[in-house]
Amino acid sequence: MLKAFVQKAISFLHYKHKINYLFQKYVTKGVQLSEYYFEDRLEHLRQHSSFYSKYKGKLNDIKMLELGTGWYPVIPLGFFLSGAQQIYTVDITPLMDKQKVEITLERYLEYIRNGQLDSFEFKKKRIETLQSILEQIGQLTFHDLLEKLNIRYLVEDATQLSVPSNNFDLITSNNTFEHVEAAVLRGILTEFVRVLKPDGLMSHFIDMSDHFAHLDQSISIYNFLQFSEKQWKWIDNRIQPQNRWRINHFRKLYQSLNIPITEELNRPGDLVALASIRLGKEFNSIPKEELAISHSYLISSY
């Protein structure tokens, strides 16, 4: 609750994202490229790559788009190492910078040297490119650095992307949909359908848990389901909003937009922990097995 109210107060300030970055860096420690965060993103990379290989084939020379760049470009760099031709990554706010890209490069090379990424089919020439880039990093601008990595960084509204139609083989997101308002998410998915190739694939990972439980282990991942919509509006904030949608909400949205769900990979959740929460009335009508689903990959193959 304390973090929620601090972030809510920050959301009314100028330079709110920079202030929130400092708050998370020095207080909550939430913006460091920890081993946990890096390896969590590597798992998403593995899953997205696996889904694409399963339904479409090899990752060589594909054009892909990531929604929700965040602080560190772990996913874009992973697809670069896998052989992607062009990697677009879009965020509404410019969170990534040259220093964070350099930190991510170093972490990848560290893991590669230690043999921790041998299970990935990374291209030898792309690994050599990473090593070469680090050797000359001081002479490179942020733009030059991204260009060498085949990455184009878009800071814009994802409902109105500055890219042509039928452009991408693969569109992905990680831990992003749960932070987007319903009307905006509808607009984003509509835009994704426009820019995806007719035979493309979308792979989205959604974390439907209460994100404050990541910081406070005394609450469960269902803690935020106890509040009514009116109460939640007072708690929620514009820095890191949570829409509290459950899997049935996402299914209905996909259906209304005629987006196929080719495969749905769900984490079933914890019915015992869910039963310990007195649910807000908005959630009482949802079957408990669906309500308990905490994480999901939604795969759409065209």
Side-chain angles (χ1 to χ4, degrees), residues 176-222:
T176 303
F177 279 12
E178 67 266 22
H179 298 298
V180 183
E181 294 178 2
V184 178
L185 185 55
R186 172 177 287 274
I188 289 173
L189 282 169
T190 300
E191 186 71 344
F192 283 175
V193 172
R194 180 185 73 82
V195 301
L196 187 69
K197 290 182 179 179
D199 60 346
L201 180 135
M202 289 198 291
S203 177
H204 298 293
F205 176 75
I206 311 167
D207 181 350
M208 290 166 279
S209 68
D210 184 341
H211 286 22
F212 290 120
H214 302 172
L215 175 72
D216 184 355
Q217 295 184 1
S218 70
I219 62 175
S220 82
I221 60 173
Y222 306 110

mmCIF file of all heavy atoms in Angstrom, residues 176-222:
data_model
loop_
_atom_site.group_PDB
_atom_site.id
_atom_site.type_symbol
_atom_site.label_atom_id
_atom_site.label_comp_id
_atom_site.label_asym_id
_atom_site.label_seq_id
_atom_site.Cartn_x
_atom_site.Cartn_y
_atom_site.Cartn_z
ATOM 1 N N THR A 176 3.163 -6.972 -20.005
ATOM 2 C CA THR A 176 2.735 -5.659 -20.487
ATOM 3 C C THR A 176 1.222 -5.511 -20.533
ATOM 4 O O THR A 176 0.673 -4.492 -20.091
ATOM 5 C CB THR A 176 3.317 -5.391 -21.892
ATOM 6 O OG1 THR A 176 4.746 -5.481 -21.843
ATOM 7 C CG2 THR A 176 2.938 -4.004 -22.383
ATOM 8 N N PHE A 177 0.521 -6.504 -21.047
ATOM 9 C CA PHE A 177 -0.932 -6.396 -21.216
ATOM 10 C C PHE A 177 -1.640 -6.089 -19.901
ATOM 11 O O PHE A 177 -2.669 -5.408 -19.891
ATOM 12 C CB PHE A 177 -1.497 -7.689 -21.804
ATOM 13 C CG PHE A 177 -1.346 -7.826 -23.289
ATOM 14 C CD1 PHE A 177 -0.524 -6.971 -24.013
ATOM 15 C CD2 PHE A 177 -2.023 -8.820 -23.980
ATOM 16 C CE1 PHE A 177 -0.380 -7.096 -25.388
ATOM 17 C CE2 PHE A 177 -1.892 -8.949 -25.356
ATOM 18 C CZ PHE A 177 -1.066 -8.095 -26.060
ATOM 19 N N GLU A 178 -1.104 -6.582 -18.793
ATOM 20 C CA GLU A 178 -1.771 -6.384 -17.499
ATOM 21 C C GLU A 178 -1.698 -4.942 -17.022
ATOM 22 O O GLU A 178 -2.382 -4.575 -16.058
ATOM 23 C CB GLU A 178 -1.186 -7.320 -16.440
ATOM 24 C CG GLU A 178 0.250 -7.035 -16.056
ATOM 25 C CD GLU A 178 1.271 -7.835 -16.836
ATOM 26 O OE1 GLU A 178 0.926 -8.309 -17.946
ATOM 27 O OE2 GLU A 178 2.412 -8.003 -16.343
ATOM 28 N N HIS A 179 -0.891 -4.119 -17.691
ATOM 29 C CA HIS A 179 -0.738 -2.720 -17.289
ATOM 30 C C HIS A 179 -1.526 -1.751 -18.183
ATOM 31 O O HIS A 179 -1.426 -0.540 -17.991
ATOM 32 C CB HIS A 179 0.742 -2.317 -17.323
ATOM 33 C CG HIS A 179 1.597 -3.089 -16.373
ATOM 34 N ND1 HIS A 179 1.406 -3.051 -15.000
ATOM 35 C CD2 HIS A 179 2.638 -3.930 -16.589
ATOM 36 C CE1 HIS A 179 2.303 -3.826 -14.419
ATOM 37 N NE2 HIS A 179 3.055 -4.376 -15.352
ATOM 38 N N VAL A 180 -2.281 -2.285 -19.127
ATOM 39 C CA VAL A 180 -2.921 -1.444 -20.147
ATOM 40 C C VAL A 180 -4.432 -1.405 -19.939
ATOM 41 O O VAL A 180 -5.064 -2.438 -19.698
ATOM 42 C CB VAL A 180 -2.600 -1.987 -21.557
ATOM 43 C CG1 VAL A 180 -3.192 -1.067 -22.630
ATOM 44 C CG2 VAL A 180 -1.092 -2.123 -21.754
ATOM 45 N N GLU A 181 -5.003 -0.211 -20.040
ATOM 46 C CA GLU A 181 -6.454 -0.060 -19.924
ATOM 47 C C GLU A 181 -7.150 -0.798 -21.063
ATOM 48 O O GLU A 181 -6.606 -0.937 -22.160
ATOM 49 C CB GLU A 181 -6.839 1.416 -19.955
ATOM 50 C CG GLU A 181 -6.351 2.208 -18.757
ATOM 51 C CD GLU A 181 -6.716 3.685 -18.857
ATOM 52 O OE1 GLU A 181 -7.377 4.061 -19.853
ATOM 53 O OE2 GLU A 181 -6.324 4.447 -17.953
ATOM 54 N N ALA A 182 -8.386 -1.218 -20.815
ATOM 55 C CA ALA A 182 -9.121 -2.055 -21.766
ATOM 56 C C ALA A 182 -9.226 -1.417 -23.142
ATOM 57 O O ALA A 182 -8.936 -2.059 -24.167
ATOM 58 C CB ALA A 182 -10.510 -2.360 -21.209
ATOM 59 N N ALA A 183 -9.643 -0.151 -23.200
ATOM 60 C CA ALA A 183 -9.825 0.516 -24.492
ATOM 61 C C ALA A 183 -8.505 0.649 -25.236
ATOM 62 O O ALA A 183 -8.446 0.494 -26.467
ATOM 63 C CB ALA A 183 -10.463 1.888 -24.293
ATOM 64 N N VAL A 184 -7.423 0.929 -24.492
ATOM 65 C CA VAL A 184 -6.114 1.075 -25.112
ATOM 66 C C VAL A 184 -5.609 -0.272 -25.613
ATOM 67 O O VAL A 184 -5.049 -0.378 -26.711
ATOM 68 C CB VAL A 184 -5.104 1.694 -24.126
ATOM 69 C CG1 VAL A 184 -3.719 1.794 -24.754
ATOM 70 C CG2 VAL A 184 -5.585 3.073 -23.681
ATOM 71 N N LEU A 185 -5.813 -1.328 -24.826
ATOM 72 C CA LEU A 185 -5.376 -2.657 -25.234
ATOM 73 C C LEU A 185 -6.103 -3.100 -26.502
ATOM 74 O O LEU A 185 -5.507 -3.727 -27.390
ATOM 75 C CB LEU A 185 -5.612 -3.664 -24.105
ATOM 76 C CG LEU A 185 -5.096 -5.081 -24.341
ATOM 77 C CD1 LEU A 185 -3.612 -5.075 -24.689
ATOM 78 C CD2 LEU A 185 -5.350 -5.956 -23.113
ATOM 79 N N ARG A 186 -7.372 -2.769 -26.602
ATOM 80 C CA ARG A 186 -8.125 -3.067 -27.827
ATOM 81 C C ARG A 186 -7.474 -2.364 -29.027
ATOM 82 O O ARG A 186 -7.303 -2.959 -30.088
ATOM 83 C CB ARG A 186 -9.588 -2.628 -27.672
ATOM 84 C CG ARG A 186 -10.416 -2.715 -28.953
ATOM 85 C CD ARG A 186 -11.869 -2.341 -28.692
ATOM 86 N NE ARG A 186 -12.541 -3.411 -27.963
ATOM 87 C CZ ARG A 186 -13.115 -4.457 -28.534
ATOM 88 N NH1 ARG A 186 -13.099 -4.574 -29.858
ATOM 89 N NH2 ARG A 186 -13.708 -5.374 -27.822
ATOM 90 N N GLY A 187 -7.102 -1.108 -28.837
ATOM 91 C CA GLY A 187 -6.454 -0.364 -29.905
ATOM 92 C C GLY A 187 -5.109 -0.938 -30.288
ATOM 93 O O GLY A 187 -4.734 -0.982 -31.466
ATOM 94 N N ILE A 188 -4.339 -1.387 -29.285
ATOM 95 C CA ILE A 188 -3.020 -1.968 -29.545
ATOM 96 C C ILE A 188 -3.147 -3.265 -30.347
ATOM 97 O O ILE A 188 -2.441 -3.476 -31.335
ATOM 98 C CB ILE A 188 -2.277 -2.216 -28.217
ATOM 99 C CG1 ILE A 188 -1.850 -0.891 -27.585
ATOM 100 C CG2 ILE A 188 -1.053 -3.116 -28.440
ATOM 101 C CD1 ILE A 188 -1.256 -1.030 -26.199
ATOM 102 N N LEU A 189 -4.050 -4.134 -29.924
ATOM 103 C CA LEU A 189 -4.218 -5.405 -30.626
ATOM 104 C C LEU A 189 -4.743 -5.188 -32.042
ATOM 105 O O LEU A 189 -4.351 -5.902 -32.975
ATOM 106 C CB LEU A 189 -5.156 -6.321 -29.837
ATOM 107 C CG LEU A 189 -4.516 -7.013 -28.629
ATOM 108 C CD1 LEU A 189 -5.564 -7.686 -27.763
ATOM 109 C CD2 LEU A 189 -3.467 -8.030 -29.080
ATOM 110 N N THR A 190 -5.613 -4.210 -32.212
ATOM 111 C CA THR A 190 -6.096 -3.868 -33.558
ATOM 112 C C THR A 190 -4.932 -3.428 -34.446
ATOM 113 O O THR A 190 -4.839 -3.811 -35.617
ATOM 114 C CB THR A 190 -7.146 -2.753 -33.480
ATOM 115 O OG1 THR A 190 -8.259 -3.193 -32.691
ATOM 116 C CG2 THR A 190 -7.646 -2.370 -34.869
ATOM 117 N N GLU A 191 -4.030 -2.636 -33.881
ATOM 118 C CA GLU A 191 -2.868 -2.178 -34.622
ATOM 119 C C GLU A 191 -1.909 -3.337 -34.908
ATOM 120 O O GLU A 191 -1.293 -3.391 -35.989
ATOM 121 C CB GLU A 191 -2.153 -1.073 -33.838
ATOM 122 C CG GLU A 191 -0.999 -0.407 -34.564
ATOM 123 C CD GLU A 191 -1.428 0.485 -35.711
ATOM 124 O OE1 GLU A 191 -2.589 0.385 -36.170
ATOM 125 O OE2 GLU A 191 -0.604 1.294 -36.167
ATOM 126 N N PHE A 192 -1.787 -4.261 -33.975
ATOM 127 C CA PHE A 192 -0.940 -5.430 -34.201
ATOM 128 C C PHE A 192 -1.442 -6.256 -35.388
ATOM 129 O O PHE A 192 -0.642 -6.761 -36.184
ATOM 130 C CB PHE A 192 -0.896 -6.305 -32.949
ATOM 131 C CG PHE A 192 0.010 -5.777 -31.859
ATOM 132 C CD1 PHE A 192 0.072 -6.415 -30.626
ATOM 133 C CD2 PHE A 192 0.798 -4.658 -32.058
ATOM 134 C CE1 PHE A 192 0.907 -5.952 -29.619
ATOM 135 C CE2 PHE A 192 1.630 -4.172 -31.060
ATOM 136 C CZ PHE A 192 1.688 -4.831 -29.834
ATOM 137 N N VAL A 193 -2.746 -6.406 -35.490
ATOM 138 C CA VAL A 193 -3.314 -7.137 -36.621
ATOM 139 C C VAL A 193 -2.955 -6.434 -37.936
ATOM 140 O O VAL A 193 -2.658 -7.078 -38.943
ATOM 141 C CB VAL A 193 -4.847 -7.266 -36.473
ATOM 142 C CG1 VAL A 193 -5.464 -7.860 -37.737
ATOM 143 C CG2 VAL A 193 -5.196 -8.133 -35.266
ATOM 144 N N ARG A 194 -2.938 -5.113 -37.910
ATOM 145 C CA ARG A 194 -2.595 -4.351 -39.121
ATOM 146 C C ARG A 194 -1.143 -4.564 -39.540
ATOM 147 O O ARG A 194 -0.850 -4.755 -40.726
ATOM 148 C CB ARG A 194 -2.834 -2.850 -38.895
ATOM 149 C CG ARG A 194 -2.497 -1.986 -40.133
ATOM 150 C CD ARG A 194 -2.630 -0.512 -39.847
ATOM 151 N NE ARG A 194 -1.560 0.024 -38.996
ATOM 152 C CZ ARG A 194 -0.356 0.376 -39.443
ATOM 153 N NH1 ARG A 194 -0.028 0.224 -40.725
ATOM 154 N NH2 ARG A 194 0.556 0.869 -38.609
ATOM 155 N N VAL A 195 -0.209 -4.536 -38.584
ATOM 156 C CA VAL A 195 1.217 -4.574 -38.934
ATOM 157 C C VAL A 195 1.777 -5.994 -39.025
ATOM 158 O O VAL A 195 2.898 -6.188 -39.503
ATOM 159 C CB VAL A 195 2.057 -3.740 -37.941
ATOM 160 C CG1 VAL A 195 1.594 -2.289 -37.943
ATOM 161 C CG2 VAL A 195 2.004 -4.321 -36.530
ATOM 162 N N LEU A 196 1.014 -6.989 -38.560
ATOM 163 C CA LEU A 196 1.466 -8.379 -38.654
ATOM 164 C C LEU A 196 1.262 -8.893 -40.078
ATOM 165 O O LEU A 196 0.265 -8.583 -40.719
ATOM 166 C CB LEU A 196 0.676 -9.255 -37.676
ATOM 167 C CG LEU A 196 1.116 -10.711 -37.525
ATOM 168 C CD1 LEU A 196 2.465 -10.799 -36.823
ATOM 169 C CD2 LEU A 196 0.062 -11.503 -36.744
ATOM 170 N N LYS A 197 2.219 -9.667 -40.567
ATOM 171 C CA LYS A 197 2.073 -10.271 -41.888
ATOM 172 C C LYS A 197 0.890 -11.254 -41.881
ATOM 173 O O LYS A 197 0.547 -11.817 -40.832
ATOM 174 C CB LYS A 197 3.355 -10.993 -42.280
ATOM 175 C CG LYS A 197 4.518 -10.065 -42.577
ATOM 176 C CD LYS A 197 5.754 -10.837 -42.996
ATOM 177 C CE LYS A 197 6.923 -9.908 -43.308
ATOM 178 N NZ LYS A 197 8.149 -10.652 -43.699
ATOM 179 N N PRO A 198 0.272 -11.474 -43.035
ATOM 180 C CA PRO A 198 -0.892 -12.378 -43.106
ATOM 181 C C PRO A 198 -0.609 -13.779 -42.577
ATOM 182 O O PRO A 198 -1.528 -14.469 -42.131
ATOM 183 C CB PRO A 198 -1.227 -12.406 -44.608
ATOM 184 C CG PRO A 198 -0.706 -11.104 -45.133
ATOM 185 C CD PRO A 198 0.543 -10.818 -44.338
ATOM 186 N N ASP A 199 0.660 -14.211 -42.632
ATOM 187 C CA ASP A 199 1.027 -15.537 -42.119
ATOM 188 C C ASP A 199 1.903 -15.421 -40.868
ATOM 189 O O ASP A 199 2.680 -16.329 -40.551
ATOM 190 C CB ASP A 199 1.751 -16.342 -43.188
ATOM 191 C CG ASP A 199 3.040 -15.668 -43.667
ATOM 192 O OD1 ASP A 199 3.231 -14.464 -43.358
ATOM 193 O OD2 ASP A 199 3.852 -16.340 -44.328
ATOM 194 N N GLY A 200 1.771 -14.305 -40.139
ATOM 195 C CA GLY A 200 2.609 -14.069 -38.975
ATOM 196 C C GLY A 200 2.104 -14.732 -37.710
ATOM 197 O O GLY A 200 1.090 -15.455 -37.713
ATOM 198 N N LEU A 201 2.818 -14.453 -36.597
ATOM 199 C CA LEU A 201 2.478 -15.056 -35.307
ATOM 200 C C LEU A 201 2.618 -14.022 -34.206
ATOM 201 O O LEU A 201 3.545 -13.202 -34.228
ATOM 202 C CB LEU A 201 3.393 -16.250 -35.033
ATOM 203 C CG LEU A 201 3.159 -17.008 -33.713
ATOM 204 C CD1 LEU A 201 3.188 -18.520 -33.962
ATOM 205 C CD2 LEU A 201 4.199 -16.654 -32.650
ATOM 206 N N MET A 202 1.696 -14.042 -33.255
ATOM 207 C CA MET A 202 1.801 -13.226 -32.044
ATOM 208 C C MET A 202 1.959 -14.147 -30.841
ATOM 209 O O MET A 202 1.296 -15.181 -30.746
ATOM 210 C CB MET A 202 0.562 -12.343 -31.862
ATOM 211 C CG MET A 202 0.457 -11.207 -32.842
ATOM 212 S SD MET A 202 -0.685 -9.898 -32.302
ATOM 213 C CE MET A 202 -2.266 -10.743 -32.424
ATOM 214 N N SER A 203 2.838 -13.736 -29.921
ATOM 215 C CA SER A 203 3.076 -14.494 -28.696
ATOM 216 C C SER A 203 3.185 -13.501 -27.545
ATOM 217 O O SER A 203 4.137 -12.732 -27.465
ATOM 218 C CB SER A 203 4.378 -15.306 -28.826
ATOM 219 O OG SER A 203 4.660 -16.004 -27.626
ATOM 220 N N HIS A 204 2.187 -13.526 -26.662
ATOM 221 C CA HIS A 204 2.134 -12.544 -25.577
ATOM 222 C C HIS A 204 2.103 -13.254 -24.222
ATOM 223 O O HIS A 204 1.281 -14.150 -24.001
ATOM 224 C CB HIS A 204 0.889 -11.663 -25.729
ATOM 225 C CG HIS A 204 0.882 -10.859 -26.994
ATOM 226 N ND1 HIS A 204 1.779 -9.848 -27.226
ATOM 227 C CD2 HIS A 204 0.095 -10.948 -28.103
ATOM 228 C CE1 HIS A 204 1.543 -9.328 -28.428
ATOM 229 N NE2 HIS A 204 0.537 -9.983 -28.984
ATOM 230 N N PHE A 205 2.989 -12.814 -23.332
ATOM 231 C CA PHE A 205 3.013 -13.333 -21.967
ATOM 232 C C PHE A 205 2.358 -12.319 -21.041
ATOM 233 O O PHE A 205 2.738 -11.139 -21.026
ATOM 234 C CB PHE A 205 4.444 -13.589 -21.499
ATOM 235 C CG PHE A 205 4.528 -14.032 -20.067
ATOM 236 C CD1 PHE A 205 4.178 -15.316 -19.702
ATOM 237 C CD2 PHE A 205 4.930 -13.148 -19.067
ATOM 238 C CE1 PHE A 205 4.235 -15.727 -18.371
ATOM 239 C CE2 PHE A 205 4.997 -13.551 -17.739
ATOM 240 C CZ PHE A 205 4.636 -14.841 -17.389
ATOM 241 N N ILE A 206 1.378 -12.776 -20.258
ATOM 242 C CA ILE A 206 0.610 -11.897 -19.379
ATOM 243 C C ILE A 206 0.769 -12.365 -17.940
ATOM 244 O O ILE A 206 0.539 -13.542 -17.627
ATOM 245 C CB ILE A 206 -0.889 -11.902 -19.756
ATOM 246 C CG1 ILE A 206 -1.068 -11.686 -21.259
ATOM 247 C CG2 ILE A 206 -1.645 -10.837 -18.966
ATOM 248 C CD1 ILE A 206 -2.476 -11.982 -21.755
ATOM 249 N N ASP A 207 1.154 -11.444 -17.077
ATOM 250 C CA ASP A 207 1.296 -11.725 -15.643
ATOM 251 C C ASP A 207 0.081 -11.132 -14.929
ATOM 252 O O ASP A 207 -0.017 -9.928 -14.734
ATOM 253 C CB ASP A 207 2.585 -11.107 -15.122
ATOM 254 C CG ASP A 207 2.819 -11.378 -13.637
ATOM 255 O OD1 ASP A 207 1.895 -11.890 -12.972
ATOM 256 O OD2 ASP A 207 3.913 -11.061 -13.147
ATOM 257 N N MET A 208 -0.850 -11.993 -14.540
ATOM 258 C CA MET A 208 -2.105 -11.542 -13.928
ATOM 259 C C MET A 208 -2.048 -11.537 -12.406
ATOM 260 O O MET A 208 -3.082 -11.443 -11.733
ATOM 261 C CB MET A 208 -3.268 -12.423 -14.415
ATOM 262 C CG MET A 208 -3.601 -12.196 -15.885
ATOM 263 S SD MET A 208 -4.680 -13.469 -16.585
ATOM 264 C CE MET A 208 -3.488 -14.777 -16.929
ATOM 265 N N SER A 209 -0.846 -11.631 -11.848
ATOM 266 C CA SER A 209 -0.699 -11.597 -10.397
ATOM 267 C C SER A 209 -0.634 -10.158 -9.907
ATOM 268 O O SER A 209 -0.343 -9.236 -10.676
ATOM 269 C CB SER A 209 0.575 -12.337 -9.980
ATOM 270 O OG SER A 209 1.729 -11.629 -10.419
ATOM 271 N N ASP A 210 -0.893 -9.968 -8.627
ATOM 272 C CA ASP A 210 -0.736 -8.656 -8.004
ATOM 273 C C ASP A 210 0.751 -8.333 -7.951
ATOM 274 O O ASP A 210 1.520 -8.981 -7.244
ATOM 275 C CB ASP A 210 -1.341 -8.694 -6.587
ATOM 276 C CG ASP A 210 -1.312 -7.330 -5.900
ATOM 277 O OD1 ASP A 210 -0.530 -6.459 -6.322
ATOM 278 O OD2 ASP A 210 -2.067 -7.143 -4.929
ATOM 279 N N HIS A 211 1.185 -7.323 -8.707
ATOM 280 C CA HIS A 211 2.609 -7.032 -8.800
ATOM 281 C C HIS A 211 3.201 -6.504 -7.487
ATOM 282 O O HIS A 211 4.416 -6.545 -7.301
ATOM 283 C CB HIS A 211 2.862 -6.019 -9.921
ATOM 284 C CG HIS A 211 2.725 -6.620 -11.297
ATOM 285 N ND1 HIS A 211 2.009 -7.772 -11.538
ATOM 286 C CD2 HIS A 211 3.221 -6.238 -12.506
ATOM 287 C CE1 HIS A 211 2.066 -8.067 -12.819
ATOM 288 N NE2 HIS A 211 2.790 -7.150 -13.429
ATOM 289 N N PHE A 212 2.361 -6.014 -6.589
ATOM 290 C CA PHE A 212 2.874 -5.574 -5.289
ATOM 291 C C PHE A 212 3.334 -6.759 -4.440
ATOM 292 O O PHE A 212 4.120 -6.590 -3.517
ATOM 293 C CB PHE A 212 1.822 -4.756 -4.549
ATOM 294 C CG PHE A 212 1.570 -3.412 -5.171
ATOM 295 C CD1 PHE A 212 0.321 -3.066 -5.647
ATOM 296 C CD2 PHE A 212 2.584 -2.475 -5.285
ATOM 297 C CE1 PHE A 212 0.080 -1.840 -6.221
ATOM 298 C CE2 PHE A 212 2.369 -1.237 -5.860
ATOM 299 C CZ PHE A 212 1.111 -0.912 -6.333
ATOM 300 N N ALA A 213 2.843 -7.965 -4.793
ATOM 301 C CA ALA A 213 3.288 -9.168 -4.082
ATOM 302 C C ALA A 213 4.742 -9.499 -4.414
ATOM 303 O O ALA A 213 5.393 -10.248 -3.681
ATOM 304 C CB ALA A 213 2.385 -10.350 -4.427
ATOM 305 N N HIS A 214 5.256 -8.939 -5.531
ATOM 306 C CA HIS A 214 6.663 -9.152 -5.871
ATOM 307 C C HIS A 214 7.573 -8.472 -4.846
ATOM 308 O O HIS A 214 8.706 -8.893 -4.633
ATOM 309 C CB HIS A 214 6.968 -8.587 -7.258
ATOM 310 C CG HIS A 214 6.122 -9.184 -8.343
ATOM 311 N ND1 HIS A 214 6.116 -8.702 -9.637
ATOM 312 C CD2 HIS A 214 5.245 -10.224 -8.337
ATOM 313 C CE1 HIS A 214 5.288 -9.407 -10.368
ATOM 314 N NE2 HIS A 214 4.741 -10.335 -9.600
ATOM 315 N N LEU A 215 7.065 -7.404 -4.249
ATOM 316 C CA LEU A 215 7.836 -6.626 -3.272
ATOM 317 C C LEU A 215 7.533 -7.061 -1.841
ATOM 318 O O LEU A 215 8.424 -7.134 -1.001
ATOM 319 C CB LEU A 215 7.525 -5.139 -3.443
ATOM 320 C CG LEU A 215 8.154 -4.182 -2.433
ATOM 321 C CD1 LEU A 215 9.650 -4.051 -2.696
ATOM 322 C CD2 LEU A 215 7.490 -2.809 -2.501
ATOM 323 N N ASP A 216 6.260 -7.343 -1.578
ATOM 324 C CA ASP A 216 5.796 -7.623 -0.214
ATOM 325 C C ASP A 216 5.357 -9.084 -0.115
ATOM 326 O O ASP A 216 4.283 -9.460 -0.596
ATOM 327 C CB ASP A 216 4.632 -6.690 0.126
ATOM 328 C CG ASP A 216 4.147 -6.851 1.558
ATOM 329 O OD1 ASP A 216 4.648 -7.755 2.268
ATOM 330 O OD2 ASP A 216 3.261 -6.082 1.972
ATOM 331 N N GLN A 217 6.171 -9.922 0.492
ATOM 332 C CA GLN A 217 5.880 -11.349 0.567
ATOM 333 C C GLN A 217 4.793 -11.691 1.584
ATOM 334 O O GLN A 217 4.390 -12.838 1.696
ATOM 335 C CB GLN A 217 7.158 -12.121 0.891
ATOM 336 C CG GLN A 217 8.211 -12.020 -0.207
ATOM 337 C CD GLN A 217 9.440 -12.867 0.070
ATOM 338 O OE1 GLN A 217 9.520 -13.568 1.078
ATOM 339 N NE2 GLN A 217 10.412 -12.809 -0.841
ATOM 340 N N SER A 218 4.311 -10.682 2.299
ATOM 341 C CA SER A 218 3.239 -10.945 3.267
ATOM 342 C C SER A 218 1.865 -10.983 2.602
ATOM 343 O O SER A 218 0.879 -11.350 3.245
ATOM 344 C CB SER A 218 3.234 -9.865 4.359
ATOM 345 O OG SER A 218 2.798 -8.612 3.843
ATOM 346 N N ILE A 219 1.784 -10.596 1.328
ATOM 347 C CA ILE A 219 0.512 -10.654 0.611
ATOM 348 C C ILE A 219 0.613 -11.672 -0.512
ATOM 349 O O ILE A 219 1.698 -11.979 -0.990
ATOM 350 C CB ILE A 219 0.086 -9.277 0.042
ATOM 351 C CG1 ILE A 219 1.115 -8.775 -0.983
ATOM 352 C CG2 ILE A 219 -0.109 -8.270 1.158
ATOM 353 C CD1 ILE A 219 0.712 -7.495 -1.688
ATOM 354 N N SER A 220 -0.529 -12.197 -0.935
ATOM 355 C CA SER A 220 -0.548 -13.202 -1.994
ATOM 356 C C SER A 220 -0.680 -12.523 -3.356
ATOM 357 O O SER A 220 -0.961 -11.323 -3.456
ATOM 358 C CB SER A 220 -1.709 -14.177 -1.790
ATOM 359 O OG SER A 220 -2.923 -13.627 -2.303
ATOM 360 N N ILE A 221 -0.497 -13.312 -4.395
ATOM 361 C CA ILE A 221 -0.591 -12.781 -5.752
ATOM 362 C C ILE A 221 -2.031 -12.420 -6.133
ATOM 363 O O ILE A 221 -2.254 -11.844 -7.197
ATOM 364 C CB ILE A 221 -0.024 -13.777 -6.780
ATOM 365 C CG1 ILE A 221 -0.794 -15.105 -6.727
ATOM 366 C CG2 ILE A 221 1.464 -13.998 -6.543
ATOM 367 C CD1 ILE A 221 -0.396 -16.079 -7.834
ATOM 368 N N TYR A 222 -2.985 -12.743 -5.248
ATOM 369 C CA TYR A 222 -4.400 -12.405 -5.496
ATOM 370 C C TYR A 222 -4.879 -11.254 -4.615
ATOM 371 O O TYR A 222 -6.068 -10.925 -4.616
ATOM 372 C CB TYR A 222 -5.284 -13.638 -5.257
ATOM 373 C CG TYR A 222 -4.853 -14.849 -6.035
ATOM 374 C CD1 TYR A 222 -4.295 -15.960 -5.387
ATOM 375 C CD2 TYR A 222 -4.963 -14.897 -7.423
ATOM 376 C CE1 TYR A 222 -3.878 -17.074 -6.103
ATOM 377 C CE2 TYR A 222 -4.558 -16.004 -8.147
ATOM 378 C CZ TYR A 222 -4.013 -17.092 -7.476
ATOM 379 O OH TYR A 222 -3.602 -18.192 -8.188
#
